[in-house]
Amino acid sequence: MTTLHDYEYALIRAVPRVERGECVNLGVLLYCRHAGRLSARTLLAPAKLLALDPAVDLDGVARALRGVEAVCEGGAAAGPAAGDSAGQRFRWLTAPRSAVVQPGPVHTGLTADPAAELDHLFDLLVR
């Protein structure tokens, strides 16, 4: 019998012109409390971003995505969040913000394999 564990996930999206509200999904955050796992997969999509705003700062979006990944990984690259638990880092990353790169709503699910679930969600919602 396969043991399923609950997890939470949120899309990472870019909203190049916040006043218009149009967004592009650029990644997925996944937190599985049981496994103590927080991870992200991201993909910069320049053509999609430029279609929404030809003046979008692609380098700034790429830096923000790298920052999200660093916070997920923890360690020194996570900056002040380095000492926080995976759950605390997930809550910080999913807090609402008005920025070009922002989280979507948090959703839940069940999985036996958090890594495979992250890949599945990424393929389904981002690619």
Side-chain angles (χ1 to χ4, degrees):
M1 184 168 121
T2 303
T3 302
L4 297 176
H5 303 289
D6 61 308
Y7 67 90
E8 298 173 78
Y9 75 94
L11 288 168
I12 302 165
R13 58 190 181 191
V15 186
R17 294 181 57 193
V18 176
E19 71 278 7
R20 291 181 61 150
E22 299 167 328
C23 66
V24 174
N25 295 338
L26 298 181
V28 178
L29 295 167
L30 186 137
Y31 169 58
C32 181
R33 183 183 51 81
H34 177 79
R37 178 187 177 97
L38 173 61
S39 47
R41 285 203 51 201
T42 64
L43 175 69
L44 185 65
K48 291 179 182 179
L49 290 167
L50 291 168
L52 294 181
D53 182 2
V56 67
D57 179 3
L58 292 174
D59 291 334
V61 171
R63 280 191 307 276
L65 294 176
R66 285 192 304 271
V68 166
E69 292 170 353
V71 170
C72 286
E73 292 170 12
D84 292 343
S85 70
Q88 289 170 313
R89 293 192 320 271
F90 179 75
R91 299 286 171 248
W92 182 79
L93 287 167
T94 57
R97 54 187 53 106
S98 293
V100 172
V101 175
Q102 55 185 251
V106 175
H107 304 280
T108 61
L110 294 171
T111 187
D113 184 347
E117 192 65 34
L118 179 64
D119 290 341
H120 170 74
L121 291 169
F122 183 80
D123 290 340
L124 181 68
L125 302 171
V126 178
R127 282 199 200 257

